[in-house]
Amino acid sequence: MVRYVGKGVYGAVAIGKISVFQREEISVKRIHVEDVEAEKEKVNLAKEKSLAQLQEIYDKALKEVGEANAQIFKTHMTMLEDEDYNESIENIIETQKVNGEYAIAVTGDNFAAMFAAIEDNAYMQERATDVKDISNRLIRNLSQSSSLEGTENDKVIICADDLAPSETVSLDKEKVLAFVTAHGSSNSHTAILARNMNIPAIIGVGEEFLSGIEDGDYAIVDGFTGEVFVNPDQETTERLQEKQRQDLEKKKLLLDLKGKENITLDGTQINVYANIGSVDNIGAVLLNDAGGIGLFRSEFLYLESKDYPTEEEQFAAYKKVLESMAGKKVIIRTLDIGADKQVDYFGLGKEDNPALGYRAIRICLTRPEIFKTQLRALYRASVYGKLGIMFPMITSVSEVEKIKETCEQVKQELKEQGLSYSEDVELGIMIETPAAAVISDRLAPLVDFFSVGTNDLTQYTLACDRQNPNLESFCDTHHEAILRLIEMAATNAHKYGAWIGICGELAADVTLTETFLRMGIDELSVSPGFVLKVRNQIRNIDLS
Ligand code: PEP
Ligand code: MG
């Protein structure tokens, strides 16, 4: 047995087999073959397997994210059957007497270069990525190299050096028991995603971890203590099985709180909402009886997509969330791309300090076509429920004024086109920069609500990069400066008739629940799995 220690970011125990995360970097060797017919037949079989996988992915995507988003997999299937593409592979095998993998790689590169060279045609250029994607799938299936998708039927513990948010969202969640990463920090979006999905996760176990494990190793992940036991002995296995049983029992007990109010012993009420990153998380929101959605990180729609999601695609996603919440409040945050959430098709250049750079509202205000598309989709969806729109990374009054102007323009356009929207949409801003907290007296009169993003507020106040695991010991999330900024924002919100919530990870820290209640915080929005835990805490507090 070997024990590794990192930092647990979601408390639960997972027991199962390890799968070492494979990046899609495939290196292909050119090998001479004699029997070209047999090689062509192998390619054919790999093609059939790829088509079957794509059909499966398409069916799953259709159920989870709708027709428009699933369409890409149909496109992949069509490309895979393209005559020119297949002929090229066969010709290379025949004329050069080489292995299928090599023929596919060359064909993929040629076709991708051809698509990429079509100037001023973003659609065709995008197909360059697709043709590389299908070629990689074909090569993987031909060489039988293992990847998470399609080959493993059991749930596995994903182990990686680190996972980018885009990699995390593309994993098949149905097959993930836990995450363990050698690097990473607890406020990174990968950690947040793990919490949103109720998946035990450990970060920062160190470099030596990856060299000490192999695919298929049996392991236990203790998300409470941050320990990973690889090939655990009998005693450890029994102890952690018992811990897992007790945890599940405790979580079951919390379920008794479903349907109960979030009310303190002396009668103070507060809203407890849930944070989500995807339409898929709604099940967990409803299961845990959240009073609403306090933060829908809409940028994950962009991260999951290969191109800018269209107005229709976004409209469908927002409508689905609003309808599923059946009249409960849903706060959707506009695009917060940039920093650790990079999307290739945005073409954002490299920055020395991306967290201090071109991100979130700064992109929206300088690329109004992207911003307006999202706002149109949001306003159109607003008739299907109770919508609040929230804007990230605010630092000034003029930004809020510009945002409100854009919202008015969008509403006017919709009206002129005869498209309906609700007049009751609340507009709010995130308080996640010290600047916003300090000028909260100027911002509050302009909006309906504030939502404190403690993850960024902490990094910007303490000058501690939230992505850097070496800074965790300097990053005191309870630092007086942060609490004072939150209190300042709460006082100013109420003075000017706005309400205030907290949607950063600190909202789920039950050692601060009483402090937040005493500040007058009106809403706490947490990962779905923490809703009942926070409710339990609130119900045991006496403010009198
Ligand atoms: C925050 O900064 O606290 C927040 C909620 O937003 P994100 O974590 O997505 O940056
Ligand atoms: Mg933030």
Side-chain angles (χ1 to χ4, degrees):
M1 173 175 91
V2 189
R3 173 178 167 270
Y4 300 91
V5 186
K7 190 155 189 210
V9 294
Y10 181 76
V13 175
I15 304 175
K17 281 191 186 160
I18 281 179
S19 171
V20 180
F21 180 71
Q22 308 280 346
R23 291 229 154 67
E24 301 253 323
E25 287 155 15
I26 293 177
S27 79
V28 171
K29 287 201 185 81
R30 186 178 196 276
I31 300 169
H32 176 79
V33 295
E34 274 308 319
D35 191 346
V36 291
E37 287 310 314
E39 199 62 22
K40 283 190 325 195
E41 185 49 30
K42 276 199 268 172
V43 172
N44 252 332
L45 289 175
K47 191 173 108 186
E48 294 308 318
K49 191 169 173 186
S50 304
L51 285 169
Q53 286 171 351
L54 285 166
Q55 181 66 48
E56 218 177 278
I57 300 174
Y58 172 79
D59 292 342
K60 181 170 180 282
L62 193 62
K63 265 193 250 133
E64 291 180 357
V65 289
E67 167 95 50
N69 289 312
Q71 198 50 41
I72 184 68
F73 302 111
K74 278 276 180 228
T75 309
H76 280 195
M77 289 165 82
T78 311
M79 289 175 111
L80 202 48
E81 293 189 292
D82 180 78
E83 235 171 73
D84 292 341
Y85 177 79
N86 285 293
E87 258 176 38
S88 164
I89 296 171
E90 289 193 357
N91 281 343
I92 294 173
I93 297 176
E94 276 171 17
T95 56
Q96 302 186 30
K97 290 199 157 194
V98 286
N99 55 324
E101 286 92 336
Y102 179 77
I104 297 165
V106 172
T107 302
D109 284 350
N110 289 345
F111 274 63
M114 203 167 70
F115 285 133
I118 303 174
E119 273 176 34
D120 296 331
N121 190 329
Y123 177 81
M124 291 314 277
Q125 285 166 0
E126 191 56 42
R127 301 290 76 81
T129 323
D130 292 330
V131 83
K132 281 209 159 155
D133 242 33
I134 60 156
S135 303
N136 283 345
R137 175 177 298 280
L138 205 47
I139 293 171
R140 264 201 318 270
N141 283 327
L142 184 59
S143 56
Q144 308 280 341
S145 71
S146 77
S147 88
L148 178 68
E149 173 203 296
T151 51
E152 290 274 358
N153 282 323
D154 295 336
K155 284 190 161 196
V156 287
I157 298 169
I158 302 290
C159 299
D161 52 351
D162 203 352
L163 289 169
S166 55
E167 289 172 330
T168 316
V169 290
S170 64
L171 287 174
D172 183 349
K173 285 105 194 162
E174 313 251 301
K175 293 180 179 167
V176 179
L177 265 182
F179 290 114
V180 183
T181 61
H183 306 287
S185 61
S186 41
N187 270 343
S188 67
H189 283 92
T190 299
I192 291 171
L193 281 170
R195 267 179 229 125
N196 278 357
M197 296 189 270
N198 294 348
I199 290 176
I202 298 184
I203 49 150
V205 285
E207 293 277 357
E208 65 286 2
F209 171 68
L210 285 177
S211 43
I213 55 164
E214 272 183 28
D215 253 343
D217 274 347
Y218 181 67
I220 304 185
V221 173
D222 184 343
F224 296 99
T225 59
E227 290 169 293
V228 188
F229 302 92
V230 179
N231 297 320
D233 57 29
Q234 177 94 6
E235 186 264 319
T236 309
T237 307
E238 281 169 14
R239 181 170 62 79
L240 281 144
Q241 277 171 339
E242 176 56 19
K243 188 166 181 178
Q244 186 182 45
R245 198 191 56 74
Q246 284 183 11
D247 174 47
L248 291 175
E249 211 157 84
K250 229 194 246 166
K251 285 185 176 139
K252 242 197 236 149
L253 274 181
L254 280 179
L255 291 181
D256 283 349
L257 291 176
K258 279 173 78 165
K260 303 235 164 93
E261 287 177 310
N262 306 303
I263 190 164
T264 59
L265 293 168
D266 57 302
T268 303
Q269 285 222 20
I270 178 169
N271 290 320
V272 182
Y273 290 175
N275 295 344
I276 62 168
S278 144
V279 179
D280 295 358
N281 300 142
I282 294 174
V285 174
L286 298 172
L287 192 77
N288 288 287
D289 194 30
I293 289 174
L295 167 65
F296 176 8
R297 288 181 164 93
S298 70
E299 58 273 14
F300 284 103
L301 287 179
Y302 294 73
L303 278 164
E304 284 165 2
S305 183
K306 294 207 154 175
D307 203 344
Y308 296 99
T310 61
E311 179 181 323
E312 287 312 312
E313 286 165 350
Q314 294 191 56
F315 167 69
Y318 305 147
K319 174 173 176 264
K320 184 162 183 195
V321 177
L322 282 156
E323 282 182 336
S324 312
M325 291 305 289
K328 290 183 177 167
K329 195 175 284 182
V330 174
I331 295 173
I332 302 181
R333 176 174 76 185
T334 58
L335 177 65
D336 187 5
I337 284 295
D340 64 325
K341 286 175 283 196
Q342 289 294 333
V343 182
D344 288 348
Y345 58 80
F346 269 71
L348 304 176
K350 196 174 155 10
E351 293 178 284
D352 284 342
N353 291 303
L356 302 180
Y358 189 49
R359 59 173 289 198
I361 202 68
R362 298 170 184 182
I363 297 177
C364 289
L365 289 176
T366 48
R367 294 177 69 177
E369 69 291 356
I370 296 177
F371 194 30
K372 278 190 168 176
T373 303
Q374 182 167 34
L375 287 173
R376 281 178 61 93
L378 284 165
Y379 273 106
R380 282 177 53 203
S382 65
V383 290
Y384 295 92
K386 199 167 171 192
L387 176 68
I389 307 178
M390 173 156 83
F391 304 94
M393 279 295 288
I394 297 299
T395 57
S396 72
V397 167
S398 68
E399 284 164 351
V400 181
E401 286 170 346
K402 269 194 213 125
I403 289 166
K404 290 179 74 177
E405 254 169 55
T406 314
C407 288
E408 286 309 313
Q409 281 168 16
V410 164
K411 286 201 285 184
Q412 187 56 33
E413 279 170 25
L414 292 176
K415 199 179 278 175
E416 283 164 12
Q417 292 167 353
L419 294 166
S420 51
Y421 61 87
S422 162
E423 283 292 354
D424 295 328
V425 175
E426 284 194 328
L427 295 184
I429 55 170
M430 294 203 56
I431 302 289
E432 54 183 347
T433 64
V438 171
I439 60 163
S440 50
D441 58 330
R442 305 270 318 281
L443 297 171
L446 301 176
V447 296
D448 299 303
F449 68 93
F450 285 162
S451 187
V452 184
T454 52
N455 310 332
D456 278 317
L457 187 62
T458 305
Q459 90 163 335
Y460 296 131
T461 306
L462 303 183
C464 275
D465 177 359
R466 66 192 268 190
Q467 296 297 115
N468 187 341
N470 300 326
L471 298 179
E472 297 239 346
S473 62
F474 295 96
C475 190
D476 173 10
T477 52
H478 292 206
H479 196 293
E480 197 183 341
I482 298 161
L483 297 177
R484 282 201 210 177
L485 289 173
I486 300 176
E487 188 164 30
M488 188 188 287
T491 307
N492 285 324
H494 292 149
K495 191 163 160 191
Y496 294 98
W499 63 267
I500 180 167
I502 302 178
C503 64
E505 298 301 291
L506 209 59
D509 183 338
V510 289
T511 64
L512 285 176
T513 310
E514 182 168 343
T515 309
F516 293 149
L517 282 163
R518 289 191 186 280
M519 286 179 186
I521 297 295
D522 302 291
E523 174 241 36
L524 292 169
S525 191
V526 299
S527 293
F530 293 152
V531 167
L532 295 174
K533 185 171 153 202
V534 172
R535 176 173 300 167
N536 188 41
Q537 184 72 10
I538 293 167
R539 292 175 66 85
N540 284 298
I541 288 173
D542 189 350
L543 296 173
S544 61

